[in-house]
Structure formats: C-alpha cells, structure tokens
Amino acid sequence: MKFFEDIEIGERRLLGHHTFAQDEMIAFARQFDFQSFHVDPEAAKRSLYGALVASGWLTSATWMRYFAELNAREAEAQRARGERVPALGPSPGFENMRWLKPVYAGDTVTYASEAKEKTASRSRPQWGILRTYNSGTNQHGDLVLDFESIVFVERRG
C-alpha cells in the first residue's frame, strides 16, 4: 500500500488471477443471483449464453477479494520491514460497472487496478481521493469486467 503522495497516475496493480469453477458459480448464484443460466447447467444450455455463466456479481466480488488480499499482503510486508502502513479509507462508491463478456466455468480472469486521478481532499486534509479504473480480463485477453472506483487514501502529512 502506498501513501497518497506516492501513487503515480497510470500505475497499474495486478491483483491476481482466478479460475472460476462451476460449483463455485452455482453456489454463489443460488444464494445471490438465482437466474437459471447461473444455477442450472441444462437451462443455461438453452439460454443465449449456451452454457452456465458466472453471475456478474460474483466476478465483481472476486475482484474485491483480490484487491483486499493484495492490500493485506502489502501491509504485512511493510510492517515486517518496520514501515508505517498508510490507512485506506472508505470508498464513496463506484461508477460505470460493466459486465462485458460472460465468464464460463473454467475461465481464468486476471484482475487489475490502475490509478487514473488524484485529488487532495479540501475538507479532510489528512486524506487524498483516488479514482481508479478496475478490470478483469479472461485468458483470451477479452475484457469481461470493468468499473471505476473512488477511495480515500491517507496522506503523509
């Protein structure tokens, strides 16, 4: 993790790779998005997708998992080196979330986040506001998920 001042615009972080398993896709969808093409392989064959597909919410939640895990690993490494770890503040939200291509069982999605814009907070001088472009790309190089997010990042001051 970096302090606000140390983040470079255009800096891209590879968050990780995830291979989606059919059982995982169905379990998630049964609980949160029980449309037939997410929970029933036979019904999915008759859908416009032609096979079972992951819920877009699963692909998004998986992005969040990898984002949080990378931040935790980086913070642990910083503490081990005796460095101060900057606080990551709340997020006022995200914009323009798009599920661009279906994610099928067996697909591997690579997640990334890129710094797009930084603004010092006028009302909270200890924080900066970071806007990022976030993505998921499948093993064929196809963009399957993207969105913009905003997060408060601690300033060094």
Side-chain angles (χ1 to χ4, degrees):
M1 297 176 51
K2 293 184 176 182
F3 284 94
F4 178 75
E5 294 82 357
D6 300 329
I7 297 169
E8 299 288 331
I9 298 302
E11 180 178 320
R12 187 172 188 268
R13 297 171 72 205
L14 177 63
L15 306 179
H17 313 278
H18 184 78
T19 301
F20 287 83
Q22 180 171 300
D23 291 347
E24 164 196 26
M25 293 161 51
I26 292 172
F28 181 93
R30 280 189 178 143
Q31 190 169 9
F32 300 109
D33 191 358
F34 45 89
Q35 297 178 76
S36 62
F37 46 83
H38 295 320
V39 297
D40 182 345
E42 289 306 312
K45 286 179 186 175
R46 297 185 299 276
S47 75
L48 67 124
Y49 300 111
L52 193 78
V53 294
S55 166
W57 295 112
L58 174 58
T59 62
S60 303
T62 304
W63 177 92
M64 188 69 218
R65 177 181 138 203
Y66 282 92
F67 175 78
E69 287 176 351
L70 178 60
N71 285 337
R73 284 193 310 272
E74 288 177 352
E76 185 178 317
Q78 286 171 289
R79 282 187 203 95
R81 293 189 301 266
E83 298 173 7
R84 187 167 151 249
V85 177
L88 190 61
S91 170
F94 62 89
E95 299 173 340
N96 304 318
M97 182 171 283
R98 302 183 304 164
W99 298 308
L100 300 159
K101 292 211 176 215
V103 174
Y104 294 95
D107 280 356
T108 298
V109 176
T110 299
Y111 292 104
S113 183
E114 181 179 335
K116 297 305 278 184
E117 180 182 309
K118 293 180 359 178
T119 309
S121 174
R122 288 187 288 273
S123 61
R124 294 182 176 108
Q126 71 274 28
W127 294 100
I129 302 166
L130 175 65
R131 178 179 291 271
T132 61
Y133 171 75
N134 308 289
S135 62
T137 305
N138 69 16
Q139 70 275 13
H140 306 294
D142 299 324
L143 192 60
V144 299
L145 163 75
D146 75 350
F147 64 98
E148 296 174 16
S149 63
I150 303 163
V151 67
F152 285 89
V153 179
E154 184 181 6
R155 297 182 75 183
R156 268 192 198 284

